[in-house]
Amino acid sequence: MSITPENPGDLNRRTLLRRAAAAGLLVTPAAGLLSACAGSEPEKSDNGGTAKSKDNPFGVKDGSAVKVVVFNGGLGDQWAKEDKTIFNAKHPNITVNMSSTQKIKTEEQPKMATQPSDLVMNSGADSMDRATLINEGAIEPLDDLLTAPAWDGEGTVADSLLPGTVSDGTQNGKFYVVNIAFTVWGNWYNAAKFKQEGWEAPKTWDDFFALAPKIKAKGMAPYVHDAVHGYYPRWALMASIWKSAGKQVIVDIDNLKDGAWKADGILKALEPWEKLVKDRLLLPGKLDHTQSQQAFLDGKAAFIQVGTWLKNEMAATIPPGFEMTLSDYWTNADDKAAKDVFASSGEGFVVPSKAPNKEAAKEFLRAILSKAGSAKFAELTKSLASTKGSGDNVQDSALSSANTLMKNGSSDLISFKFPDFYADLDKESQNLSEELMAGRLTAQQFVDKMQAAADKVAKDSSIKKQTRTA
């Protein structure tokens, strides 16, 4: 994700995957405004005279070209090639120059102030810092995309998106980032192995710690995780905090509220992770994301926590008969939000402010978010798109378990925003998450250090502060 996820502020998976799925930052346009672009009366565009219409709401010029850069991570790039076909079926006289890379920041950031690409998928470990892009005016607000007609359905683009997608891409009251994937996170296991051994997938931490000795007796580690990229363990830690302490505590953390990291429930959420490490239930070794995922597939560990990009990223090495199944993060007794699921939009596209063909970039985004494009995305990646109904016709056990998890969850989706808001706090949280999972910090030390890092940001008047309302 990547959805490869990234760093998730990452949703890559990672930017996957940063995104608070129900962050509530958006000022929703009025209903009348949402439908304003769908009228039949063509109007002149501001890009040289091409008429705007329902099928061409941005007035894209025939004969023009659009440069699209795609992140080629855990989800691959074949889905984007399908979108190119969908786009050119409606706009055959517009040239789409598409390229794929994993070095987004390295290759694209130097061009942002001079000759940027028209549309950039800002995802992966080498992604550009979103807050910096917005604060420096380097990327274009895309609120007009939300009010444009959906590509192949009724209503507007905004109407077609899953909950949280708009708020995930909104900052300072404006919509900047179009997240095209919808990731669900949790603990993965091999249902076939569990059936063979007569094991029941844990729902609580007590269940897990009771099952762990049986797993070890079979020569497997109970758990494995990415020990190289700190945003991986941070996902699990923040999800546990939300479940234990409740949504308002995470909102307070995101808003740098004084003492937010000392709230009731936070330490309780982190102590099972500390115990997991101290009890030597982790597979030894400093493995990265693909190495840890391969160890899981090889049967060296019973559980791994990642998002729904997992199956597509590891498709080439999944053993025959392996039933990749997603379960929710484990909870403690009396958790305040045990049924809330960690799911959000990620894999975000941005349009540089100095892009030469912004109109075509926005039009290509409409194609990506179309029903046809989203269905292809789900089919090819075995992950949900951020457009409603993308996985309805996909027959896949891994995707089905994610859908089931979503259906059984509450209406609130777990989300946290501080990695998107503050780059330094993002980095420190990753470092401290790694330290906790390496056994070099206790849960209490983690909390103390995170509070100190948050206090430092809060007291720095040179840092522009962000506010999350829900």
Side-chain angles (χ1 to χ4, degrees):
M1 229 220 142
S2 88
I3 308 180
T4 284
E6 124 198 297
N7 54 70
D10 289 295
L11 176 189
N12 189 343
R13 287 166 216 244
R14 302 171 192 149
T15 301
L16 286 150
L17 297 242
R18 286 186 186 250
R19 305 131 299 299
L25 295 177
L26 175 71
V27 177
T28 305
L33 187 60
L34 287 176
S35 59
C37 292
S40 59
E41 196 66 36
E43 53 181 272
K44 300 296 278 185
S45 80
D46 54 8
N47 69 342
T50 302
K52 295 181 180 180
S53 66
K54 183 175 181 179
D55 281 337
N56 188 5
F58 305 110
V60 182
K61 289 189 281 188
D62 273 356
S64 66
V66 58
K67 185 174 183 181
V68 179
V69 178
V70 177
F71 174 74
N72 189 2
L75 298 177
D77 63 358
Q78 183 57 44
W79 57 270
K81 296 174 184 176
E82 298 290 340
D83 291 328
K84 179 179 178 180
T85 300
I86 292 169
F87 178 87
N88 280 139
K90 184 172 287 190
H91 300 290
N93 297 320
I94 298 172
T95 301
V96 178
N97 296 314
M98 180 177 289
S99 61
S100 301
T101 182
Q102 293 191 359
K103 298 293 184 181
I104 297 295
K105 181 177 181 179
T106 300
E107 296 176 7
E108 294 301 315
Q109 187 160 300
K111 302 185 294 186
M112 294 293 282
T114 54
Q115 292 181 313
S117 304
D118 296 299
L119 183 61
V120 179
M121 187 176 177
N122 186 37
S123 190
D126 188 41
S127 62
M128 299 177 284
D129 180 65
R130 163 176 155 165
T132 300
L133 292 176
I134 293 172
N135 291 337
E136 294 184 356
I139 55 176
E140 190 81 358
L142 300 172
D143 298 272
D144 56 345
L145 173 67
L146 296 177
T147 61
W151 181 273
D152 52 4
E154 297 299 319
T156 65
V157 169
D159 295 332
S160 72
L161 300 176
L162 285 171
T165 304
V166 173
S167 58
D168 290 348
T170 299
Q171 195 161 317
N172 303 335
K174 294 183 179 181
F175 181 67
Y176 288 96
V177 182
V178 181
N179 292 320
I180 54 94
F182 203 83
T183 300
V184 185
W185 282 266
N187 293 314
W188 292 89
Y189 65 98
N190 178 5
K193 175 67 174 177
F194 273 57
K195 291 174 188 174
Q196 176 186 332
E197 300 295 343
W199 299 337
E200 185 173 345
K203 292 183 173 62
T204 68
W205 278 108
D206 285 345
D207 293 341
F208 169 72
F209 288 123
L211 179 61
K214 300 176 184 178
I215 295 172
K216 294 183 74 173
K218 292 296 181 178
M220 302 173 70
Y223 213 85
V224 66
H225 80 298
D226 179 345
V228 175
H229 302 101
Y231 46 82
Y232 274 79
R234 185 185 61 195
W235 290 330
L237 300 181
M238 295 305 297
S240 294
I241 289 172
W242 176 298
K243 283 178 173 287
S244 175
K247 176 179 180 178
Q248 186 58 48
V249 167
I250 298 296
V251 173
D252 291 343
I253 285 173
D254 289 340
N255 289 340
L256 303 178
K257 183 179 178 180
D258 187 39
W261 280 94
K262 303 300 181 70
D264 290 344
I266 292 182
L267 198 59
K268 180 183 176 183
L270 299 176
E271 285 173 340
W273 292 103
E274 179 184 344
K275 176 177 171 60
L276 185 152
V277 176
K278 285 186 174 180
D279 289 358
R280 299 182 183 278
L281 303 181
L282 277 175
L283 183 69
K286 193 174 176 65
L287 307 179
D288 66 15
H289 61 290
T290 53
Q291 291 170 332
S292 59
Q293 289 165 189
Q294 190 58 54
F296 166 65
L297 294 176
D298 290 341
K300 295 178 181 178
F303 291 98
I304 187 171
Q305 80 85 26
V306 289
T308 41
W309 63 83
L310 175 63
K311 184 165 187 176
N312 191 71
E313 186 165 61
M314 305 304 292
T317 58
I318 299 174
F322 195 101
E323 294 182 28
M324 192 178 291
T325 306
L326 182 65
S327 64
D328 201 0
Y329 288 107
W330 307 313
T331 57
N332 289 306
D334 302 323
D335 276 0
K336 292 183 178 179
K339 291 184 70 65
D340 291 1
V341 174
F342 184 17
S344 66
S345 61
E347 305 305 302
F349 275 93
V350 297
V351 177
S353 296
K354 294 191 176 182
N357 198 349
K358 297 174 190 175
E359 296 82 13
K362 295 175 186 179
E363 185 69 349
F364 198 89
L365 286 169
R366 280 209 315 141
I368 291 175
L369 298 172
S370 67
K371 290 181 179 180
S374 298
K376 272 295 181 183
F377 179 91
E379 175 188 338
L380 292 168
T381 67
K382 305 301 184 290
S383 186
L384 296 174
S386 57
T387 302
K388 295 172 183 176
S390 66
D392 288 353
N393 298 315
V394 179
Q395 301 300 314
D396 177 80
S397 59
L399 187 58
S400 175
S401 65
N403 284 334
T404 298
L405 187 58
M406 288 290 293
K407 290 177 181 178
N408 292 337
S410 69
S411 58
D412 266 333
L413 297 178
I414 294 172
S415 64
F416 53 99
K417 297 295 290 184
F418 71 84
D420 285 328
F421 290 167
Y422 310 110
D424 288 344
L425 189 55
D426 170 24
K427 182 174 179 61
E428 183 67 0
S429 71
Q430 293 187 42
N431 292 338
L432 294 177
S433 296
E434 288 183 41
E435 293 293 289
L436 176 63
M437 295 303 292
R440 294 188 288 268
L441 285 182
T442 65
Q444 183 65 63
Q445 289 170 329
F446 176 90
V447 167
D448 292 342
K449 288 180 179 292
M450 280 303 305
Q451 184 63 66
D455 290 343
K456 183 179 180 181
V457 174
K459 294 174 182 177
D460 190 338
S461 59
S462 69
I463 298 176
K464 185 176 181 179
K465 304 305 189 291
Q466 308 292 336
T467 300
R468 173 181 179 176
T469 59

